[in-house]
Amino acid sequence: MKRAKVTVIGAGPAGCVAALTLHKLGHEVVVYEKGRFPRYRVGESFLPGTLSILNRLGLQEKIDAAGFVEKPSATFLWGQDQAPWTFSFATPKTAPWVFGHAIQVKREEFDALLLGEVRERGIPVFEDAAVTDVDLSDPDRVTLKVLSGVVESDYVIDAGGSGSPLARRLKVRRYDEFYKNFAVWSYFRCKQPFEGDLKGTTFSITFEHGWVWMIPLKGDVYSVGLVVDRSAAAEVKKLGPERFYRETLAKAVRATAILGDAEMIDEVRIVHDWSYDSERFSGDRYFLCGDAACFTDPLFSQGVHLATQSAVSAASAIDRITRHEDERDEVHAWYNRSYRETYEQYHEFLASFYTFASFTEPESEFWLKRRISESDDARLNRLKWFDRLIQDDPENPTASVADFRDRASTMIAIGRHQRKELSDEFSEKELNVARVRWISDLTKQLNRITRLKWTGDEVLLKPYYKVEPLSFRLERKQVLANEDGLDMIKFPVEEEQREIFQLVTKETVGYKSLIKQLNDSGKQEVSSQIVIRLMEAGLLSGYDKADNRVIIQDRLRFDGVGVEYEV
Ligand SMILES: Cc1cc2nc3c(=O)[nH]c(=O)nc-3n(C[C@H](O)[C@H](O)[C@H](O)COP(=O)(O)OP(=O)(O)OC[C@H]3O[C@@H](n4cnc5c(N)ncnc54)[C@H](O)[C@@H]3O)c2cc1C
C-alpha cells in the first residue's frame, strides 16, 4: 500500500486524533507542537460522539482509568421564568461505540493523555516546535518551516487552533459579526451540588448580560464561565478581570444559587469568544481541522467534537486520495461539504437558541442584539432549509422566521421539565412523557400521508463518501439526488431503493406503503429516517387524503449526539 507522509501542526485534540487515525491507516506522521504539555486549555465539557471516536481508536481503557466525570446531559435554565430543560444523551446502545453519556475533563489532563498515546504508538512528536510558515506552492509537496529547519511532506494537517499558521497565510478566515462574545471564567471548589440525574450535567444559564456555563470537574471543582458581549472589554479594563467577573457573576442569581458559598480557587481568565469559519477547509495538499478551520460559541460544548470529527475526516481523506489519486477533487469536495454542514448545524442551533432566549430576557441588550427577527438576516441566508421555506410560502416570508424559532421551541418542549426547582429529586424520567408524545405525533403526521411527491422528474444515485466507523477508511457510496442537484447525504442507498423512489414519481404512493417497500429492501432500521431526511432536504413532500400538504416539524440536529455519529 502507498504510504503518505503527513505533517500535523498542533497537538491539541484535533492534531492528536488526526495523528492516531493516520497511524491506524498505515501512514507516516509527525506532530509539531508550539507549546509544552501539559498546557492549560478551556473547553472542558464534551459530547458523546468524541467518546465514540476515542473508543474506536483504542483509548477506552485509558479514558476509563483517568476517572473523568461522567456527563449524562446538558441542563439549560434558558430564559427568565422558564422551567429548566434537559438535553439528555440517553440513547440505545446499538454498538459498543455508541455512548449515552459524555465526559467532563480538565483539558490539561485530557490533552496530555491523548498526546501520551500518540507517543506510545511510536509517532514522533516535537514540543516547543512552532511551525512558522507553510509553503504550498509546489504541487508535489508541502514545505514547512519549523524550529531552525525545513520539513517536507506529502500533506499537512493544520490543527494549530485559533492561531493556525495556514489560515493566516491563506487568508481564509471569516468572522461572524453576530457572535463576537467575550468569555471570562474561573474555578470553584464546590462539591457536586446534586445527586441523581443532575449529577455530572453541564448547566447553561441565561441572565441579563449573557449566559453562564457551569461544568463539574474531577475533585469537587466547578468551571464557571460568563459569556458576555464584546463591549464588556472596556469594563474589564476599568475594573480588572477579577472584580468584573465577581460583580457580573453576582448578577446571575440562578447560577450563584447553585454555587452557594463555594470558594473561588483559581485566577480569572479571559478570552475573545468570536465565531468564525473559513472560505475553504481543504485543498490540494492541506487540511484545516478543529479551531484552525472554524469555531462557534461554546453553548453546546461542541468544540472538541468538531476538532476530533474533522481530524478523523481529514486523515481518512488523505488515506483515500493516496490510494485513489484520481478522486482528489471529489474527496476535497466531500471534506469541505461534510465539515461545513456539521459546523452549520451548530451555528443554526446557536442562532435559534439565542433568538429563543431573547424573547424571555426582554430588557436585555445582549439578547436583543442576538435576536433574529427579520427574514433578511444574514444568519438565515446561509441556511439552505430557510431558502426552501421561503419558496414554499412566497406570500408570507416572515412566517419562516417564526418557523426558525419553532425549531428551538420544539427541542426545548421535548426536554422541558415539569418542575422548576433543581433538586436531587429532579428526574430525566419525567421527560419521557414529552418524548413519547413527540414521537407519536410525528408518526401520526407521517401516517396521514397518502400521496408522496418527489421534487423533480428523476431519482438519481450520486456518488458520496462515508467514513467506515471501525476501519476509518473513506468509502465511496451513493446517495439519492434529483436532476437539479438536490440531494440527501445522510443515508447511503443502492439501486433497489432508487427504484422505489422512482416509482413515487410515477404512481400514487403513501407513507405506509413506501416504508414497507424500504423495509423489504433491507433498510428497516432507517426507513423512516430516510423519508424524514428526504423531506428536510426538500426532495420529498407529503399530502393527505384532502390533498393538503403534511408539514413535518423539523427538530434541530447536530452530529456528535444520538445513535448516528457522522464519523
Ligand atoms: C470560552 C470557551 C469555552 C469553550 N468550551 C468548550 C466546551 O465546553 N467544550 C468543548 O468541546 N469545546 C469548548 N471550547 C472550544 C475548545 O476549546 C476548542 O474547540 C478545542 O480546544 C479545539 O481543539 P483544537 O485541537 O482544534 O485546538 P487547540 O486545543 O487550541 O490545540 C491547538 C494546538 O496547536 C498548537 N499550535 C498553535 N500554533 C502552532 C504552530 N504554529 N505550530 C505548532 N503548534 C501550534 C497550540 O499550542 C495547541 O496546543 C471552548 C472555547 C472557548 C473559547
Side-chain angles (χ1 to χ4, degrees):
M1 192 198 93
K2 261 176 90 179
R3 263 160 76 92
K5 187 177 171 200
V6 186
T7 311
V8 173
I9 305 174
C16 284
V17 167
L20 290 168
T21 312
L22 282 162
H23 181 74
K24 181 180 165 69
L25 290 167
H27 300 283
E28 191 185 333
V29 51
V30 185
V31 181
Y32 291 96
E33 162 58 46
K34 182 164 91 176
R36 180 154 283 278
F37 280 40
R39 54 104 178 85
Y40 180 82
R41 249 313 165 276
V42 70
E44 299 141 329
S45 191
F46 287 6
L47 294 181
T50 303
L51 270 192
S52 174
I53 289 173
L54 299 175
N55 172 286
R56 287 177 281 138
L57 283 171
L59 278 94
Q60 193 62 52
E61 255 180 47
K62 283 221 166 114
I63 298 285
D64 291 344
F68 296 120
V69 169
E70 217 170 87
K71 171 186 177 188
S73 58
T75 292
F76 292 73
L77 302 179
W78 204 247
Q80 291 292 339
D81 301 325
Q82 300 281 314
W85 73 277
T86 290
F87 189 101
S88 166
F89 296 143
T91 193
K93 195 144 181 98
T94 50
W97 42 269
V98 170
F99 286 85
H101 68 272
I103 47 175
Q104 318 273 25
V105 307
K106 287 182 180 163
R107 281 289 301 279
E108 58 271 41
E109 186 188 349
F110 174 81
D111 288 14
L113 179 154
L114 274 190
L115 188 59
E117 183 69 18
V118 170
R119 279 213 168 90
E120 275 175 34
R121 294 198 189 177
I123 300 167
V125 176
F126 297 91
E127 290 179 83
D128 293 324
V131 172
T132 49
D133 201 9
V134 185
D135 182 357
L136 299 170
S137 59
D138 185 334
D140 296 325
R141 66 178 64 80
V142 180
T143 309
L144 286 92
K145 255 196 210 150
V146 53
L147 298 169
S148 52
V150 162
V151 177
E152 285 189 346
S153 57
D154 299 317
Y155 295 94
V156 60
I157 290 184
D158 187 341
S162 55
S164 152
L166 200 50
R168 200 170 44 234
R169 182 168 235 291
L170 296 169
K171 297 193 173 63
V172 286
R173 189 165 289 178
R174 308 182 293 198
Y175 286 91
D176 187 327
E177 280 310 308
F178 292 97
Y179 303 107
K180 289 199 166 172
N181 295 335
F182 217 86
V184 194
W185 70 99
S186 186
Y187 295 87
F188 286 77
R189 171 91 48 220
C190 174
K191 208 168 154 35
Q192 285 211 22
F194 303 108
E195 289 301 319
D197 288 352
L198 283 173
K199 190 173 177 189
T201 198
T202 292
F203 289 105
S204 301
I205 305 170
T206 57
F207 73 120
E208 188 188 345
H209 302 287
W211 63 274
V212 184
W213 79 68
M214 294 184 63
I215 303 170
L217 303 173
K218 230 190 317 195
D220 290 344
V221 172
Y222 247 98
S223 163
V224 181
L226 303 166
V227 176
V228 293
D229 191 71
R230 65 173 147 172
S231 58
E235 220 186 323
V236 173
K237 216 169 166 190
K238 197 171 96 196
L239 301 178
E242 181 162 344
R243 195 168 147 208
F244 173 84
Y245 177 73
R246 284 185 186 276
E247 288 183 7
T248 313
L249 182 61
K251 294 176 192 161
V253 287
R254 288 181 298 173
T256 51
I258 297 173
L259 280 173
D261 54 8
E263 174 203 358
M264 200 166 104
I265 53 164
D266 205 344
E267 64 184 284
V268 172
R269 293 182 164 93
I270 278 196
V271 76
H272 287 307
D273 167 17
W274 293 6
S275 297
Y276 56 80
D277 72 347
S278 302
E279 275 166 37
R280 52 185 190 281
F281 295 136
S282 75
D284 302 328
R285 295 184 172 276
Y286 74 87
F287 289 81
L288 298 173
C289 288
D291 281 7
C294 54
F295 172 80
T296 191
D297 191 281
L299 177 61
F300 207 55
S301 310
Q302 72 286 351
V304 171
H305 187 66
L306 275 170
T308 53
Q309 176 170 331
S310 60
V312 167
S313 298
S316 50
I318 289 173
D319 175 66
R320 181 84 199 178
I321 297 172
T322 307
R323 292 183 295 119
H324 302 271
E325 185 65 31
D326 54 319
E327 291 178 22
R328 176 181 293 264
D329 292 349
E330 276 175 282
V331 171
H332 276 301
W334 165 79
Y335 181 76
N336 277 275
R337 178 170 176 192
S338 58
Y339 195 0
R340 192 166 305 284
E341 289 193 3
T342 300
Y343 173 77
E344 288 292 353
Q345 288 169 358
Y346 286 108
H347 220 73
E348 181 186 336
F349 172 86
L350 191 67
S352 295
F353 274 70
Y354 271 32
T355 297
F356 180 90
S358 76
F359 287 93
T360 71
E361 301 275 357
E363 307 297 323
S364 156
E365 208 186 313
F366 176 90
W367 292 104
L368 259 183
K369 262 182 166 175
R370 286 156 183 80
R371 175 186 299 179
I372 294 181
S373 53
E374 301 294 333
S375 295
D376 61 359
D377 190 302
R379 284 166 291 184
L380 291 176
N381 293 338
R382 53 199 284 176
L383 301 171
K384 249 200 321 191
W385 59 264
F386 184 71
D387 292 343
R388 280 204 320 276
L389 287 168
I390 291 178
Q391 280 160 20
D392 273 348
D393 191 2
E395 308 286 301
N396 188 12
T398 50
S400 303
V401 174
D403 196 278
F404 175 79
R405 268 193 355 241
D406 281 353
R407 294 185 141 213
S409 314
T410 306
M411 190 161 159
I412 289 173
I414 299 171
R416 198 191 310 274
H417 289 272
Q418 283 140 28
R419 67 182 97 210
K420 281 195 168 181
E421 304 74 31
L422 301 174
S423 76
D424 292 347
E425 312 299 303
F426 212 78
S427 156
E428 277 196 30
K429 283 210 189 75
E430 66 187 65
L431 305 179
N432 284 343
V433 184
R435 280 188 206 130
V436 170
R437 196 182 317 120
W438 154 260
I439 292 176
S440 105
D441 283 353
L442 181 69
T443 313
K444 253 189 240 154
Q445 286 291 80
L446 289 165
N447 283 336
R448 274 179 52 216
I449 296 173
T450 51
R451 180 174 70 88
L452 286 153
K453 183 172 173 286
W454 179 263
T455 309
D457 299 321
E458 295 293 324
V459 181
L460 305 172
L461 287 178
K462 172 177 168 178
Y464 197 66
Y465 293 94
K466 289 277 168 195
V467 178
E468 281 296 316
L470 290 174
S471 70
F472 288 96
R473 293 245 184 255
L474 190 62
E475 301 290 352
R476 213 166 148 87
K477 304 269 181 184
Q478 294 183 306
V479 296
L480 289 165
N482 74 0
E483 68 276 19
D484 296 324
L486 263 187
D487 56 21
M488 189 279 282
I489 56 173
K490 180 73 187 175
F491 293 101
V493 291
E494 293 92 40
E495 174 59 19
E496 197 176 347
Q497 287 84 38
R498 191 201 69 76
E499 283 169 14
I500 294 171
F501 284 98
Q502 190 70 64
L503 219 62
V504 171
T505 65
K506 299 196 178 109
E507 293 173 12
T508 304
V509 180
Y511 173 75
K512 286 184 193 161
S513 141
L514 180 73
I515 290 295
K516 181 167 184 325
Q517 293 180 59
L518 286 173
N519 289 348
D520 291 347
S521 78
K523 293 283 178 195
Q524 53 279 4
E525 277 175 20
V526 288
S527 52
S528 60
Q529 289 294 326
I530 291 179
V531 174
I532 292 169
R533 292 282 184 163
L534 285 167
M535 288 179 162
E536 285 176 12
L539 275 169
L540 205 61
S541 44
Y543 297 83
D544 65 11
K545 259 195 277 180
D547 221 25
N548 291 320
R549 172 107 183 249
V550 178
I551 302 291
I552 302 299
Q553 175 69 60
D554 286 356
R555 249 186 317 170
L556 289 167
R557 296 177 188 277
F558 22 84
D559 296 340
V561 290
V563 182
E564 297 279 340
Y565 302 124
E566 202 47 50
V567 295

